[in-house]
Amino acid sequence: MRSRELVFLMYHELERPGRPTCQAAAGYVRYVVPEFHFRDQMLWLRSNGWRGMSVGEALTFPKGPGLAITFDDGCETDLLVAAPLLKQIGSHATFFVTTGFLGKSGYMSISQLRELAALNFEIGCHSLTHAYLCDLDDKGLHREIVESKSRLEQILGTIVTHFSCPGGRYDLRTARVVKDAGYRSMSTSRIQRNSSSTDPFGLGRIAVLRDSTPSAFQAICEGRGLWKSKFRAGVQDAAKGLLGNSVYDRVRGLLIRDA
Ligand SMILES: [Zn+2]
């Protein structure tokens, strides 16, 4: 029998009417899900009996329909928009925070982050400055993975055990540093479901995008048609390999508009 496989959803900032997003570039906004879409998605999960879990819970692979819900970056909408809707449907989730963004415009302040943690949501680390980890030397990796962990733990007064990679990008060296730092898992953007035999330092996640339709969302939750997401990401990866990360980011807006 195949072991139980779970989908890990990946969200970023949510959009509330009249509220500017943290960044305006097309490559960023593509990942910003409008509040009313997010609400519909959460209500669909509840009405279909899906259990929304944190990464820590999902890694115990409990029985029954369920998936992990994660947010990257630490935007203010984590607390203002996502948290109340998650509470409304009785769902847990993990919020991965870029420590160096705390207090910046559009991102949570330290007190907002503590408020989110006090609501019983799991807080994970999403690096210090959102640098692409594969591009860094050992000192840089230490700063982004180890120092950011201690800083977050000082703020929260608890141990932080889950990490997610900025831009989803990682390699074996990154995974080793994350493991040695004392984290229990590393979430990436690999498009795959996870099972108890998946390496916890290479967990897959599926991005929910601005243009994800209700049927596309339902398919993602059920782990159907992941090849479509893979195909789109494969085209992006090919471009990254060809151009390098920084050039890729500059032209990404154009690529997305053309897609
Ligand atoms: Zn990020």
Side-chain angles (χ1 to χ4, degrees):
M1 193 178 109
R2 273 177 92 181
S3 60
R4 175 153 166 67
E5 291 183 322
L6 283 180
V7 166
F8 284 41
L9 297 179
M10 173 172 63
Y11 286 98
H12 295 80
E13 185 172 13
L14 300 176
E15 185 180 55
R16 178 164 268 181
R19 186 191 157 84
T21 51
C22 289
Q23 295 178 39
Y28 179 86
V29 174
R30 176 171 181 254
Y31 288 93
V32 177
V33 173
E35 178 179 13
F36 67 98
H37 284 184
F38 181 72
R39 187 191 303 114
D40 288 349
Q41 290 162 3
M42 294 304 104
L43 294 176
W44 182 83
L45 287 179
R46 184 176 66 180
S47 57
N48 285 276
W50 287 79
R51 169 178 172 180
M53 293 179 278
S54 64
V55 168
E57 282 178 280
L59 288 177
T60 66
F61 298 97
K63 288 195 169 66
L67 38 66
I69 302 180
T70 73
F71 291 80
D72 278 1
D73 298 344
C75 295
E76 207 178 8
T77 56
D78 287 358
L79 178 70
L80 302 182
V81 182
L85 286 166
L86 289 164
K87 282 284 172 200
Q88 194 188 327
I89 65 157
S91 173
H92 292 152
T94 300
F95 292 89
F96 290 106
V97 173
T98 307
T99 321
F101 288 179
L102 289 168
K104 290 192 174 171
S105 175
Y107 295 90
M108 282 186 286
S109 64
I110 286 176
S111 64
Q112 286 177 315
L113 173 63
R114 288 189 178 128
E115 214 180 305
L116 188 65
L119 290 170
N120 229 2
F121 289 113
E122 184 172 67
I123 308 296
C125 184
H126 189 53
S127 84
L128 187 67
T129 69
H130 210 271
Y132 296 142
L133 302 174
C134 306
D135 298 343
L136 301 178
D137 60 13
D138 290 350
K139 208 173 146 193
L141 276 188
H142 188 270
R143 191 180 59 235
E144 298 292 336
I145 295 167
V146 183
E147 288 175 29
S148 60
K149 183 178 193 285
S150 334
R151 195 157 155 194
L152 209 46
E153 290 174 345
Q154 275 169 9
I155 292 170
L156 297 169
T158 52
I159 302 291
V160 171
T161 50
H162 302 286
F163 185 84
S164 76
C165 302
R169 293 166 219 194
Y170 72 104
D171 52 19
L172 288 176
R173 190 173 66 113
T174 308
R176 199 179 54 242
V177 176
V178 169
K179 194 173 184 178
D180 291 348
Y183 291 101
R184 282 176 44 219
S185 81
M186 181 176 81
S187 289
T188 74
S189 307
R190 270 174 76 176
I191 297 164
Q192 60 169 35
R193 287 177 290 185
N194 302 309
S195 73
S196 53
S197 54
T198 304
D199 177 2
F201 295 92
L203 294 173
R205 287 187 297 171
I206 323 296
V208 183
L209 301 174
R210 183 178 194 81
D211 64 1
S212 296
T213 60
S215 63
F217 177 77
Q218 291 160 22
I220 288 172
C221 294
E222 287 159 3
R224 288 185 284 113
L226 296 185
W227 66 269
K228 287 181 198 162
S229 304
K230 262 184 194 161
F231 176 77
R232 289 173 77 174
V235 172
Q236 286 184 14
D237 282 346
K240 278 176 212 165
L242 223 59
L243 302 171
N245 281 339
S246 59
V247 180
Y248 169 76
D249 277 347
R250 286 203 294 275
V251 299
R252 184 165 65 165
L254 296 170
L255 290 175
I256 288 161
R257 271 199 292 278
D258 289 346

